[in-house]
Amino acid sequence: LAPSTQPWRPPGEPQAPFSLPAPRWPVECEVIQETTEHIEWVPPKPEPFCPPMGLKQALYTIGEEQGTVVYHSSPVLQGSCFTRARVGGAPGPLSSPAARLEGPQDTTLLFESRFESGNLQKAIKVGSYEYVLMLRPDLYTAKHTQWFYFRVQNTRQEPLYHFTIANMAKPKSLYGQGLQPLLYSQRDAQSRGIGWRRVGTDVQYYRGSAGEPPMFRLSWTVRFPHDNDTCFFAACYPYTYSDLQRYLRALAADPARSRYCTVQELCRSLAGNTVYLLTITSPGGMAGKRVVVTSARVHPGESGSSWAMKGFLDFLLSTHADAQLLRRLFIFKVVPMLNPDGVVVGNSRCSLAGRDPNRAYGMALPGSFPGVWHMRAMVQRVLAEREVVLYCDFHGHSRKNNVFMYGCDAGGDGTGTRLRQRVFPLMLSKNAPDKFSFSSCKYQVQKSKEGTGRVSMWRLGVSHSYTLEVAFSGSTLGGRSSHFSVEDLESLGCLLCDTLLDFCDPAPAKLQQCLVEVDVLLQRQMGREAGSGGSWSDVSPSEFES
């Protein structure tokens, strides 16, 4: 699990040929042979939230006795922990988890989820066009059912289908506030160039029948666009480990971009998948350059963070004048996918250790959490030589709209330090007024978050350490009330770069203006009169956020 021993190649030297080993899966997982890829598409106009349906109470228990199991794919886990992995997953012939059609008149949907990032464990047909679905918990756990991504075939265009996912884990969800599932039609992609789109009427999120721990249900109705189509449903725009590898291969093959970007192996995951580290800076002198560290996908079910990371890399590696300036000023250390194993198998939150790796930064366990352990060790090595001006870990959020940040304010610091902690998010809100909510940002360092990347890097000495949270849904700002598109998510990376230039502008005017503005906002928030002055040193973070 040691980092790559290959010598570091300074940007500007030729890149070695970039190999793309196939993803490695736990040997318990069956994997179909077909490759699943989707086109990128931006809808011609924003997709509005659907009207919230209000609260609903489940009046009955959903079980197999109420219908017919038409799909059941559950890895037979040998013991309670991960043991070994191989390319292609389980050896031997595949089972047949889907029901067989009885003839051309049989309208039963054919389900499949045994592909990269897929998640659907069971489908029960409870009516002619009604299905109850069960998600697979994160491997080697019994929890964290949130991410879904599965295929359906044998569709009919005319009927109204009703789907209910019966074992969602979280008591609150943006599905109760207008979020809709995503649908992808292969026929529309091939004939009309249309990709993922928001679908679903009567979208409801509610508590299921009594039981412990309580389960929650997501239900929606939908009409498919074509007869006999192949369609996919997903919780958010999928971005797989193979998608990242294809991106990195194109990058390495580009003689212009590869001049200032080096792709290395930070470490190997438990399954043996590579955790990639990108170093981006202009060729030439490194003296005096400060460092910016970014990462994404420590939580595999938060795929929107990968699209934001892709936008960040696209801009940073572009010919734009601001991108060129950023490369001259800084060295960027980027880990675009911290938890590739979780992404490969379709987990929501955990790695193959069966634990949340974003609570493991404080543990000296490279054998259990190699990605985050080597990430922290890399930042420690950088800090021994240079200043790290910013650390930002990209995430997704399932319960709050818009984009916002978590920072670090433990109290006890001087007024200037505490105000400056809030300046970067304020600047980002000015650059992205229709996406980023400054009022949703939080800075309290809770005990339960000590093991996160944000707090761990702050404890190491990175004074501006943040989590960037991107809603699964979309924005309610700037007159919007609509879902984020892939284009919206990618634009966040560009906006983050803009904000970095503002934040590090040698002319102090922008920084001073924002410090004054933050002070005024806090005075208003705490009920003080504007211009009353006073110190913030004795105010606890919990008082700020109460």
Side-chain angles (χ1 to χ4, degrees):
L1 294 173
S4 172
T5 55
Q6 297 175 355
W8 182 71
R9 178 190 63 81
E13 293 184 11
Q15 185 101 314
F18 191 73
S19 61
L20 271 180
R24 294 174 60 85
W25 296 68
V27 292
E28 299 93 347
C29 295
E30 289 190 337
V31 186
I32 61 173
Q33 296 301 309
E34 299 115 286
T35 300
T36 301
E37 291 186 50
H38 306 294
I39 64 168
E40 284 189 46
W41 176 71
V42 177
K45 56 184 180 179
E47 297 175 294
F49 296 145
C50 67
M53 295 298 295
L55 295 175
K56 174 180 175 181
Q57 183 65 40
L59 301 177
Y60 58 92
T61 301
I62 295 176
E64 295 174 22
E65 62 275 7
Q66 275 82 41
T68 304
V69 176
V70 295
Y71 180 79
H72 190 191
S73 173
S74 185
V76 180
L77 303 180
Q78 305 298 325
S80 59
C81 62
F82 169 75
T83 54
R84 63 192 182 93
R86 66 188 294 273
V87 172
L94 295 176
S95 64
S96 300
R100 293 183 180 276
L101 298 180
E102 296 180 358
Q105 303 307 312
D106 190 342
T107 60
T108 301
L109 291 176
L110 300 175
F111 292 84
E112 182 60 87
S113 65
R114 295 171 300 168
F115 48 81
E116 200 175 342
S117 294
N119 190 315
L120 176 69
Q121 181 167 286
K122 186 183 292 187
I124 306 166
K125 186 176 182 179
V126 295
S128 297
Y129 302 102
E130 183 174 359
Y131 295 85
V132 173
L133 311 176
M134 305 293 286
L135 304 183
R136 174 186 53 73
D138 284 3
L139 287 186
Y140 315 109
T141 82
K143 302 184 293 182
H144 308 298
T145 44
Q146 177 175 284
W147 168 256
F148 60 89
Y149 176 29
F150 57 90
R151 186 183 79 189
V152 291
Q153 294 176 311
N154 198 39
T155 62
R156 298 295 188 273
Q157 184 179 15
E158 186 62 29
L160 189 65
Y161 288 80
H162 186 85
F163 296 95
T164 299
I165 298 177
N167 65 334
M168 301 289 276
K170 292 191 175 183
K172 291 184 179 179
S173 170
L174 287 165
Y175 288 110
Q177 301 177 43
L179 171 61
Q180 293 172 287
L182 283 161
L183 172 79
Y184 185 95
S185 158
Q186 276 197 354
R187 285 184 62 178
D188 277 347
Q190 292 163 0
S191 63
R192 302 169 60 198
I194 295 175
W196 289 102
R197 70 188 102 168
R198 300 288 174 176
V199 298
T201 55
D202 301 328
V203 179
Q204 294 179 288
Y205 194 90
Y206 54 99
R207 181 167 177 155
S209 53
E212 290 297 333
M215 288 285 107
F216 299 85
R217 297 180 184 175
L218 166 63
S219 63
W220 71 95
T221 56
V222 67
R223 279 190 170 88
F224 290 108
H226 303 285
D227 288 336
N228 296 311
D229 197 1
T230 294
C231 292
F232 295 82
F233 286 104
C236 190
Y237 305 102
Y239 192 97
T240 65
Y241 183 59
S242 292
D243 288 330
L244 173 65
Q245 288 185 310
R246 282 187 284 269
Y247 183 88
L248 296 180
R249 180 170 57 184
L251 171 59
D254 184 334
R257 293 188 298 167
S258 61
R259 285 186 65 247
Y260 33 81
C261 178
T262 301
V263 180
Q264 290 175 283
E265 178 185 295
L266 177 69
C267 64
R268 295 287 180 94
S269 68
L270 290 183
N273 292 307
T274 299
V275 179
Y276 295 102
L277 169 65
L278 281 62
T279 302
I280 301 169
T281 192
S282 59
M286 298 290 177
K289 284 190 175 183
R290 296 182 290 174
V291 177
V292 175
V293 180
T294 62
S295 57
R297 284 310 269 289
V298 69
H299 291 151
E302 298 168 6
S303 59
S305 67
S306 279
W307 291 103
M309 176 60 79
K310 178 179 178 294
F312 178 76
L313 291 172
D314 282 347
F315 182 81
L316 196 56
L317 295 167
S318 73
T319 58
H320 193 285
D322 284 350
Q324 295 179 46
L325 177 58
L326 285 165
R327 296 193 297 266
R328 286 200 302 272
L329 292 174
F330 301 106
I331 300 169
F332 292 86
K333 295 285 188 179
V334 182
V335 181
M337 193 170 283
L338 270 166
N339 184 1
D341 294 349
V343 173
V344 167
V345 301
N347 278 1
S348 289
R349 197 164 185 88
C350 297
S351 69
L352 296 185
R355 299 269 296 277
D356 180 351
N358 200 39
R359 297 295 183 273
Y361 274 90
M363 302 178 186
L365 295 172
S368 297
F369 304 100
V372 300
W373 190 90
H374 284 289
M375 178 76 178
R376 187 176 186 275
M378 182 268 291
V379 173
Q380 277 184 303
R381 290 194 300 272
V382 170
L383 281 168
E385 300 176 1
R386 301 176 185 273
E387 178 190 354
V388 176
V389 68
L390 180 80
Y391 167 82
C392 188
D393 190 22
F394 294 24
H395 283 253
H397 207 283
S398 65
R399 289 168 292 145
K400 288 171 69 174
N401 283 309
N402 308 311
V403 183
F404 52 95
M405 278 180 148
Y406 294 131
C408 296
D409 176 1
D413 289 323
T415 295
T417 300
R418 301 186 73 182
L419 293 179
R420 193 178 172 105
Q421 183 67 227
R422 292 158 171 78
V423 166
F424 190 91
L426 180 62
M427 287 180 165
L428 186 50
S429 73
K430 292 176 180 296
N431 288 330
D434 64 336
K435 300 179 183 70
F436 191 92
S437 171
F438 180 70
S439 63
S440 296
C441 297
K442 304 289 185 184
Y443 307 89
Q444 188 175 355
V445 179
Q446 299 168 306
K447 190 174 181 181
S448 62
K449 301 298 176 71
E450 283 288 341
T452 62
R454 163 179 60 100
V455 178
S456 179
M457 301 307 172
W458 180 67
R459 297 285 188 205
L460 286 178
V462 181
S463 55
H464 296 97
S465 181
Y466 301 99
T467 300
L468 180 74
E469 295 281 358
V470 183
F472 282 28
S473 54
S475 172
T476 59
L477 304 171
R480 288 186 58 162
S481 184
S482 58
H483 294 87
F484 286 140
S485 65
V486 166
E487 186 178 61
D488 285 322
L489 298 175
E490 291 180 338
S491 74
L492 294 170
C494 172
L495 294 164
L496 195 77
C497 290
D498 283 346
T499 306
L500 181 60
L501 284 176
D502 291 336
F503 187 67
C504 297
D505 192 333
K510 289 179 183 176
L511 178 63
Q512 292 302 324
Q513 176 191 333
C514 286
L515 286 170
V516 170
E517 194 168 332
V518 169
D519 189 45
V520 170
L521 288 169
L522 289 179
Q523 287 178 13
R524 188 181 305 155
Q525 190 173 321
M526 299 298 291
R528 296 184 183 179
E529 287 189 25
S532 60
S535 170
W536 296 113
S537 303
D538 57 345
V539 181
S540 72
S542 59
E543 286 181 87
F544 277 138
E545 295 175 11
S546 63

